[in-house]
Amino acid sequence: AQSVTQPDIHITVSEGASLELRCNYSYGATPYLFWYVQSPGQGLQLLLKYFSGDTLVQGIKGFEAEFKRSQSSFNLRKPSVHWSDAAEYFCAAIEAGNMLTFGGGTRLMVKP
Amino acid sequence: NAGVTQTPKFRILKIGQSMTLQCTQDMNHNYMYWYRQDPGMGLKLIYYSVGAGITDKGEVPNGYNVSRSTTEDFPLRLELAAPSQTSVYFCASSYVDYGIQGTGYTFGSGTRLTVV
């Protein structure tokens, strides 16, 4: 069955430190991949997406993600985290003709 | 502001009561979706619609109903509320191709429902 897995439920980093959030997918073929962010009490906002081509994708708010076919991964990174990045992050995937499937989410906490 | 509007933001229901969660979008999106979000489970698709008059079940449709009489509105109906329906509900919309093109899905700010 198609699935998206985010192995880390919670991550805490210090402000200014680098960040990597993990995402693995299980699909028959390479799906389209997304990262969304959800601030407290808000809906989901699209950070970035990967359809094809360059495996390093740039997004909003200084985030980037790297697609690795050999590892079925699409990890989200940021070189220097700001306190305002504290939120929940969702990886999602979709194949043409199907529905968007979300991972379980990773809650990011930022220490001052 | 353009986008997806959900009402109410919060609601407490007693077991067996019914209610309708409202969702309206003003972006002329063809596709609309209802998700529920439970801690650690991500978002699960309840129902979706590819246009006015057309709806279909998602992954977790039991206990819910939807209708799509206009492009703008996609209400979600709970007929006999159960504690298992305690969740945060999100409505979303997109252009064609299930959000692959353009900016993907646009989400509302959610409805937090508690069934007691």
Side-chain angles (χ1 to χ4, degrees), chain B residues 19-63:
Chain B
M19 77 165 293
T20 299
L21 282 65
Q22 302 292 345
C23 176
T24 300
Q25 55 93 7
D26 58 3
M27 297 170 286
N28 203 31
H29 284 170
N30 301 88
Y31 290 61
M32 296 188 74
Y33 317 84
W34 274 105
Y35 285 89
R36 60 176 288 171
Q37 182 184 23
D38 301 299
M41 302 296 291
L43 280 77
K44 302 291 186 184
L45 183 65
I46 304 171
Y47 270 95
Y48 66 98
S49 169
V50 301
I54 307 170
T55 62
D56 208 346
K57 296 178 180 179
E59 187 179 358
V60 290
N62 292 343

Side-chain angles (χ1 to χ4, degrees), chain A residues 38 43 46 49 51 90 99 103, chain B residues 37 42 45 90 98 100 102-103 108:
Chain A
Q38 182 183 29
L46 181 66
K49 58 191 176 188
F51 293 161
F90 291 93
M99 291 291 110
Chain B
Q37 182 184 23
L45 183 65
F90 286 99
Y98 303 97
I100 292 174
T103 59

Side-chain angles (χ1 to χ4, degrees), chain A residues 24-103:
Chain A
N24 294 97
Y25 63 89
S26 177
Y27 278 70
T30 300
Y32 301 104
L33 296 159
F34 306 81
W35 274 99
Y36 285 86
V37 60
Q38 182 183 29
S39 298
Q42 301 298 313
L44 277 70
Q45 180 184 20
L46 181 66
L47 281 176
L48 48 78
K49 58 191 176 188
Y50 172 77
F51 293 161
S52 64
D54 193 346
T55 57
L56 187 62
V57 180
Q58 302 298 318
I60 61 172
K61 305 185 179 187
F63 285 92
E64 65 180 26
E66 186 172 13
F67 168 68
K68 292 186 178 180
R69 185 189 305 275
S70 61
Q71 299 177 16
S72 297
S73 69
F74 188 56
N75 294 350
L76 182 71
R77 302 194 295 242
K78 187 170 186 179
S80 177
V81 170
H82 188 264
W83 64 266
S84 61
D85 293 324
E88 189 154 20
Y89 292 80
F90 291 93
C91 182
I94 189 172
E95 276 184 319
N98 288 294
M99 291 291 110
L100 196 62
T101 298
F102 287 87

Side-chain angles (χ1 to χ4, degrees), chain A residues 11-21 63-64 76-82 85 108-110:
Chain A
I11 283 185
T12 300
V13 299
S14 298
E15 190 168 16
S18 63
L19 170 71
E20 182 168 26
L21 303 182
F63 285 92
E64 65 180 26
L76 182 71
R77 302 194 295 242
K78 187 170 186 179
S80 177
V81 170
H82 188 264
D85 293 324
L108 173 66
M109 290 171 279
V110 180

Side-chain angles (χ1 to χ4, degrees), chain B residues 70-83:
Chain B
T70 66
T71 299
E72 295 78 20
D73 300 308
F74 190 42
L76 177 72
R77 179 82 178 164
L78 283 71
E79 291 294 349
L80 291 171

